[in-house]
């Protein structure tokens, strides 16, 4: 975001100026109400135009057999089709025997792994996690709401650490993990994080994979959902977490997840899990009790469509052509409307699906409520924090990919009006 603007900080206004400003924003807000809008920037979904990019897949696969001559329509092949695993092993920087291709949701794989750890324990666990007095996860915040919901459902406690530009606050993570054996793991979206857009550096990843942990079975849930989801030509590389973990003597610490949900189809893609070979076997042994094999027809369809890792990279550039203008428009409107008032900051991500907006502390819920009243759905305030509790009530996640460009413009105009109105009200209250 650029800071050049003619707007003065709201906190510098006199009481009279502030009253006048609040009245203007209230008028603008009432003006929005008359439009009867129905806009939604809540979830990071691909737009129809993005989904259309993969429609060539609908006529595939062209054959019923994989490279080895096995019929993909039948049972079997629990680890997934080699052809698609090869492509994603290259993209995710792992070996073929470290990666499993599953069905359509990586979130499901994360849930399976957590449930297996709770019920059975991992290969390095003294006992199943359910038999511990308590299990705690470290959650970088702001983070992905579904990660937190999943832990809450399973009775896993959450402690937060700040997410920074270069990844989670390593010192805070190390301090939490060092002495407390109940601290069994952490979430991390390492590339273009949801929602901050931050990418974890190789240095931070090295510290996380090598730090001493009181729990011998500490796991990093390395959710690389946006590994190849670049918005610019500067294609940020993900840290090489499995190699780092192995080199640090903690080969089973990291479990990587990814999917093609935002590459091919969000509802009909392929999800991946990658970790040490021993931990892959552990995962497959449990999986084998509930599955006789994944959807290999879909694996083959994807492998034929993309051909190779470069095919995926080229495809992602087409996505960027569609969504980068929406991110740029979001930034343009917010800059034009908000810069200089010093009541909001936001990031300009170079990849991923989200923009992280921080408003005047204590006003995020008010902004979301104001927006809702005039027909704009925003992600609930606090969603990016465990139990939906943002201690400062300042964080709002914006997801511009799904609406058409013109609606992004309209939605951000509404956001700006609501941010300014809520901030003016707050400052009026404080001055009263
Ligand atoms: N992980 C992160 C960080 C996400 O943002 C999302 C979707 O928004 C997912 C996982 C969901 O992935 P999948 O569709 O593979 O279940």
């Amino acid at each position: 975001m650029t800071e050049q603007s003619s707007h003065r900080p709201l906190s510098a206004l006199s009481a009279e100026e502030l009253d006048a400003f609040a009245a203007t924003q209230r008028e603008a807000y009432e003006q929005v109400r008359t439009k009867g809008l129905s806009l939604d920037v809540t979830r990071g979904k691909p737009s129809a135009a993005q989904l259309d990019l993969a429609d060539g897949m609908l006529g595939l696969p062209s054959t019923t057999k994989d490279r080895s001559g096995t019929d993909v329509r039948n049972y079997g092949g629990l680890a997934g089709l080699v052809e698609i695993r090869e492509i994603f092993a290259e993209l995710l920087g792992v070996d073929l025997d470290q990666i499993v291709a599953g069905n359509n949701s990586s979130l499901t794989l994360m849930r399976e792994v957590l449930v297996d750890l709770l019920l059975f324990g991992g290969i390095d666990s003294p006992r199943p996690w359910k038999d511990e007095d308590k299990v705690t996860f470290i959650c970088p915040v702001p983070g992905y709401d579904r990660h937190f919901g999943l832990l809450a459902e399973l009775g896993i406690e959450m402690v937060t650490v700040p997410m920074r530009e270069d990844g989670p606050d390593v010192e805070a993570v190390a301090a939490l993990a060092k002495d407390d054996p109940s601290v069994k793991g952490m979430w991390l979206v390492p590339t273009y994080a949801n929602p901050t857009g931050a990418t974890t550096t190789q240095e931070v990843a090295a510290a996380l994979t090598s730090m001493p942990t009181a729990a011998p079975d500490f796991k990093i849930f390395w959710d690389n959902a946006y590994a190849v989801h670049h918005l610019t030509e500067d294609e940020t590389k993900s840290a090489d977490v499995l190699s780092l973990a192995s080199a640090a003597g903690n080969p089973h610490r990291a479990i990587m997840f990814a999917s093609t949900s935002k590459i091919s189809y969000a509802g009909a893609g392929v999800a991946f899990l990658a970790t040490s070979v021993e931990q892959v076997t552990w995962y497959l042994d449990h999986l084998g009790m509930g599955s006789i094999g994944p959807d290999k027809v879909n694996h083959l369809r994807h492998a034929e469509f993309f051909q190779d890792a470069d095919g995926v990279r080229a495809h992602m550039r087409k996505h960027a052509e569609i969504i980068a203008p929406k991110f740029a428009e979001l930034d343009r409107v917010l800059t034009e409307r908000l810069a200089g008032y010093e009541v909001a900051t936001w990031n300009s991500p170079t990849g991923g699906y989200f923009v992280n907006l921080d408003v005047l502390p204590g006003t995020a819920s008010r902004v979301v409520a104001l927006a809702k009243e005039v027909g704009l759905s925003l992600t609930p305030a606090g969603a990016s924090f465990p139990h939906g509790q943002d201690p400062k009530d300042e964080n709002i996640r914006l997801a511009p990919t799904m609406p058409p460009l013109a609606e992004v413009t309209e939605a951000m105009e509404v956001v700006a009006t609501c941010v300014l109105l809520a901030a003016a009200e707050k400052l009026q209250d404080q001055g009263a």
Side-chain angles (χ1 to χ4, degrees):
M1 107 190 221
T2 44
E3 279 296 343
Q4 293 138 354
S5 102
S6 54
H7 304 140
R8 283 166 59 206
L10 277 199
S11 61
L13 301 192
S14 67
E16 294 71 41
E17 285 172 325
L18 190 59
D19 287 346
F21 182 85
T24 311
Q25 296 313 318
R26 169 63 62 184
E27 219 169 278
Y29 179 74
E30 291 307 329
Q31 200 58 43
V32 174
R33 193 195 297 279
T34 63
K35 292 187 183 168
L37 299 176
S38 175
L39 303 168
D40 187 334
V41 288
T42 53
R43 295 231 69 96
K45 288 185 188 173
S47 60
Q50 290 176 268
L51 298 170
D52 289 349
L53 294 173
D55 279 353
M57 272 194 339
L58 293 177
L60 300 172
S62 60
T63 161
T64 54
K65 302 249 167 53
D66 71 8
R67 204 162 59 196
S68 70
T70 305
D71 192 327
V72 294
R73 298 168 301 179
N74 221 325
Y75 278 141
L78 200 57
L81 205 73
V82 171
E83 287 88 324
I84 194 71
R85 286 166 55 217
E86 271 177 0
I87 295 174
F88 278 82
E90 179 178 335
L91 291 167
L92 296 170
V94 302
D95 296 338
L96 185 60
D97 56 1
Q98 293 177 317
I99 190 168
V100 173
N103 291 317
N104 72 323
S105 164
S106 61
L107 199 60
T108 302
L109 303 186
M110 296 173 222
R111 190 172 192 280
E112 278 175 346
V113 171
L114 274 173
V115 169
D116 289 345
L117 287 165
L118 281 163
L119 288 180
F120 311 112
I123 54 175
D124 40 13
S125 300
R127 62 193 76 82
W129 287 11
K130 71 174 170 41
D131 296 335
E132 303 286 353
D133 288 341
K134 148 169 125 158
V135 176
T136 308
F137 256 55
I138 300 169
C139 302
V141 289
Y144 178 37
D145 53 352
R146 290 185 193 272
H147 284 164
F148 305 148
L150 176 50
L151 295 185
E153 188 205 18
L154 296 173
I156 296 175
E157 300 203 0
M158 294 174 254
V159 286
T160 61
V161 298
M163 187 70 177
R164 300 196 194 285
E165 276 293 295
D166 61 351
D169 179 339
V170 188
E171 269 114 64
V173 173
L176 287 166
K178 181 167 61 83
D179 300 317
D180 182 354
S182 90
V183 176
K184 290 286 199 184
M186 69 180 292
W187 288 114
L188 185 51
V189 183
T191 317
Y192 307 130
N194 174 353
T196 70
T199 295
T200 297
T201 60
Q202 187 79 355
E203 292 71 31
V204 168
L208 295 174
T209 48
S210 64
M211 69 187 179
T213 59
D217 51 350
F218 184 92
K219 304 289 171 213
I220 302 172
F221 278 61
W222 182 270
D223 179 3
N224 212 351
Y226 302 104
V228 292
H229 302 54
H230 316 290
L231 285 169
T232 72
E233 277 166 23
D234 177 17
E235 302 194 343
T236 302
K237 216 170 153 327
S238 302
D240 191 4
V241 73
L242 294 194
S243 307
L244 288 169
S246 175
N250 297 311
H252 315 309
R253 183 172 289 185
I255 310 176
M256 186 187 293
F257 302 90
S259 77
T260 69
S261 289
K262 282 144 195 169
I263 298 174
S264 56
Y265 292 150
V270 181
F272 301 92
L273 173 152
T275 187
S276 67
V277 174
E278 296 87 337
Q279 207 151 240
V280 162
T281 304
W282 167 86
Y283 170 72
L284 291 177
D285 282 349
H286 293 301
L287 179 68
M289 296 299 110
S291 171
I292 318 175
D295 181 349
K296 297 183 301 301
V297 174
N298 197 33
H299 290 181
L300 186 55
R301 188 197 333 266
H302 277 74
E304 283 192 359
F305 181 70
F306 290 117
Q307 298 280 314
D308 53 25
D310 274 339
V312 176
R313 293 186 186 106
H315 193 78
M316 292 316 289
R317 287 193 277 275
K318 296 186 198 159
H319 278 281
E321 273 174 35
I322 296 172
I323 62 176
K326 298 184 184 184
F327 281 85
E329 179 63 0
L330 181 156
D331 194 56
R332 184 194 68 74
V333 177
L334 294 191
T335 303
E336 199 173 289
R337 296 282 314 278
L338 298 178
Y341 288 122
E342 296 185 3
V343 293
T345 56
W346 62 97
N347 63 322
S348 309
T350 55
Y353 261 57
F354 302 100
V355 171
N356 192 56
L357 172 67
D358 281 329
V359 295
L360 197 66
T363 66
S365 335
R366 176 75 179 140
V367 170
V368 173
L370 282 169
K372 190 167 181 189
E373 222 185 289
V374 292
L376 169 64
S377 300
L378 294 173
T379 310
S384 301
F385 291 75
H387 306 296
Q389 304 288 333
D390 172 3
K392 295 195 197 148
D393 188 27
E394 66 176 3
N395 187 260
I396 298 171
R397 184 183 81 172
L398 301 174
T401 57
M402 176 82 172
L405 188 63
E407 285 186 18
V408 173
T409 312
E410 211 160 17
M412 290 311 119
E413 292 286 357
V414 179
V415 167
T417 298
C418 296
V419 167
L420 292 174
L421 178 55
E425 288 173 350
K426 179 90 186 165
L427 292 170
Q428 279 179 315
D429 280 355
Q430 282 170 356

